[in-house]
Amino acid sequence: MIDGITTYGSDELINQIKYAEPVFICVIGTTETSKIPGISGAGATPELTEYTPAADAEIMVHGSVHCMDEIPQTVVGETAAPTRSMLTKASLQLADIPFVIVDAGSKITPDLECNRLGKEYGRDIRTGKGVLNPLEIYENAKELGSKLSMMHDYLVIGESIAAGTTTALGVLRALGYDANEKVSGSMPTNPHDLKTKVVDEGLKNAGLNPETDEIDAMQAIGAVGDPTLAGMAGLVISTDIPIILGGGTQMAAVCAIVKSIKPNFDFSRINLATTVFVANDETADLFDLIKQIDEDITINIVDPNFEDAEYPGLKNYLDGFVKEGVGAGGAMFTALIRGNSVERLRKKIEKVCSE
């Protein structure tokens, strides 16, 4: 047992990779679904949500934002909940973990060198044409994942995309899973009715009916998904080394895609690592989603003890704001299994936030 981590499932993989060398992969992308008012809290306005993935990547690489005037934050009263990328950046620095940025399809291009999987950004899934090039993204991700797997012992995969839980809902629904009112969100109040309505409209306009149609993964992503889902699925399928999926219900959608493409996939080498804020989210049900997909998937819950934080903005996470993203759960999990204490991790996060 490792302090700060609660494991649901097998701890075999943790013991296997404890002294191994990882690489962190942050997959960014855009879905114009994020501009629907009220559907995402990952930006001060619906229009600014399209800048969040690029800004997150720039924070990780440069320590500052180049694509917009201010760091994307969720304002709560007189304080702000720091963006997820600060948690990730602090964790990677603390544990000396190398990372790469992968652009699966962003409307706003970050000011940095990154691996690009395709030239198209994600559209509004209400059109039924959420991703124009899912197969291209997927195949390029497989090639990249194969290369990274030859240089590292295991992959830690995270994402940054606004409205990603809505597109995750879309893909899960398209693939036949009972997912309504089970995906998480970045605000305390989860707009389930709006998310369901958006997905219903997208499936209808795509001419897809999950109850009667055999819908494959690329059809699902193309209709009601987003570029990051295609990219992350390609990375997972590309390799036979251990994988940490850093995130919440969006990673459930990745697992569902992988199972659709490869029904006999060995999920025992997959660990999902997320935050206690997702696990305790009463407006979602990560555990049921994972159980529907494959019971061999181990879930690791990281608790950074933000109730003890001196940096006030971090305490907003305790009230249901932000919760997860940019692979924060996976990055903190990896930092902890590499020998860092929860207190040391939290102080490092506070230092990065204060800077």
Side-chain angles (χ1 to χ4, degrees), residues 5-10 247 270-274 279 286-288 290-291 296-301:
I5 299 173
T6 302
T7 299
Y8 296 86
S10 172
I270 300 291
N271 267 217
L272 190 151
T274 191
L286 171 64
F287 292 94
D288 182 72
I290 292 299
K291 184 178 179 180
D296 283 341
I297 302 170
T298 292
I299 302 177
N300 296 286
I301 308 302

Side-chain angles (χ1 to χ4, degrees), residues 123-131 134 171 174 202-203 205-208 215 217-226:
R123 272 40 174 201
D124 187 332
I125 64 171
R126 291 177 298 184
T127 64
K129 297 178 181 179
V131 181
V171 168
L203 289 170
N205 285 330
L208 298 177
I215 302 171
M218 292 304 129
Q219 283 180 297
I221 297 170
V224 288
D226 69 64

Side-chain angles (χ1 to χ4, degrees), residues 14-350:
I14 295 179
N15 295 328
Q16 179 183 342
I17 65 176
K18 190 179 295 185
Y19 304 107
E21 294 301 321
V23 61
F24 181 88
I25 307 168
C26 181
V27 183
I28 66 171
T30 303
T31 170
E32 289 190 319
T33 313
S34 71
K35 294 197 294 184
I36 299 172
I39 209 161
S40 174
T45 66
E47 290 72 28
L48 287 177
T49 58
E50 293 187 334
Y51 287 82
T52 299
D56 281 334
E58 290 171 349
I59 288 170
M60 289 181 64
V61 174
H62 303 305
S64 60
V65 174
H66 294 190
C67 67
M68 60 191 299
D69 293 335
E70 296 182 358
I71 291 175
Q73 300 185 95
T74 302
V75 178
V76 186
E78 296 181 356
T79 63
T83 181
R84 307 82 42 94
S85 55
M86 293 186 180
L87 279 59
T88 301
K89 182 180 179 66
S91 302
L92 299 180
Q93 285 184 348
L94 180 64
D96 193 24
I97 300 169
F99 68 91
V100 296
I101 305 296
V102 177
D103 186 349
S106 297
K107 192 171 184 179
I108 306 300
T109 303
D111 179 24
L112 50 86
E113 291 287 331
C114 62
N115 298 273
R116 304 193 188 282
L117 303 180
K119 296 181 180 179
E120 298 287 349
Y121 57 85
R123 272 40 174 201
D124 187 332
I125 64 171
R126 291 177 298 184
T127 64
K129 297 178 181 179
V131 181
L132 305 181
N133 59 333
L135 188 58
E136 176 193 23
I137 297 168
Y138 170 76
E139 292 293 346
N140 286 338
K142 282 176 61 179
E143 183 178 347
L144 175 62
S146 180
K147 290 178 181 177
L148 291 172
S149 297
M150 290 187 284
M151 298 183 286
H152 305 277
D153 297 326
Y154 65 101
L155 309 181
V156 185
I157 302 172
E159 53 66 37
S160 177
I161 184 165
T165 57
T166 302
T167 48
L169 172 64
V171 168
L172 287 164
R173 287 266 312 279
L175 294 178
Y177 293 95
D178 175 15
N180 278 346
E181 300 192 10
K182 294 181 181 178
V183 297
S184 194
S186 57
M187 300 292 284
T189 302
N190 200 333
H192 284 305
D193 289 346
L194 177 57
K195 291 178 180 181
T196 300
K197 181 181 177 182
V198 166
V199 169
D200 285 345
E201 186 174 346
L203 289 170
K204 180 180 179 181
N205 285 330
L208 298 177
N209 185 343
E211 294 184 2
T212 58
D213 301 338
E214 288 289 333
I215 302 171
D216 66 34
M218 292 304 129
Q219 283 180 297
I221 297 170
V224 288
D226 69 64
T228 68
L229 293 173
M232 290 187 288
L235 291 170
V236 171
I237 284 184
S238 71
T239 178
D240 58 4
I241 65 175
I243 291 173
I244 306 300
L245 292 176
T249 49
Q250 287 163 256
M251 294 305 174
V254 173
C255 291
I257 293 165
V258 169
K259 187 159 189 172
S260 174
I261 296 170
K262 197 172 182 179
N264 296 323
F265 185 85
D266 179 14
F267 280 101
S268 66
R269 63 182 178 84
I270 300 291
N271 267 217
L272 190 151
T274 191
T275 66
V276 68
F277 314 116
V278 170
N280 292 346
D281 184 1
E282 295 180 354
T283 74
D285 197 339
L286 171 64
F287 292 94
D288 182 72
L289 291 174
I290 292 299
K291 184 178 179 180
Q292 290 183 57
I293 297 163
D294 198 292
E295 293 188 355
D296 283 341
I297 302 170
T298 292
I299 302 177
N300 296 286
I301 308 302
V302 177
D303 185 354
N305 290 348
F306 281 168
E307 62 271 17
D308 296 331
E310 295 180 8
Y311 188 85
L314 290 172
K315 293 190 176 181
N316 290 320
Y317 277 74
L318 303 172
D319 296 325
F321 293 94
V322 188
K323 298 187 185 75
E324 171 66 279
V326 199
M332 291 191 294
F333 166 82
T334 309
L336 291 173
I337 68 170
R338 286 168 70 83
N340 294 287
S341 68
V342 174
E343 183 179 8
R344 189 179 181 202
L345 173 61
R346 187 183 65 255
K347 287 184 176 179
K348 178 65 175 180
I349 291 171
E350 292 189 83

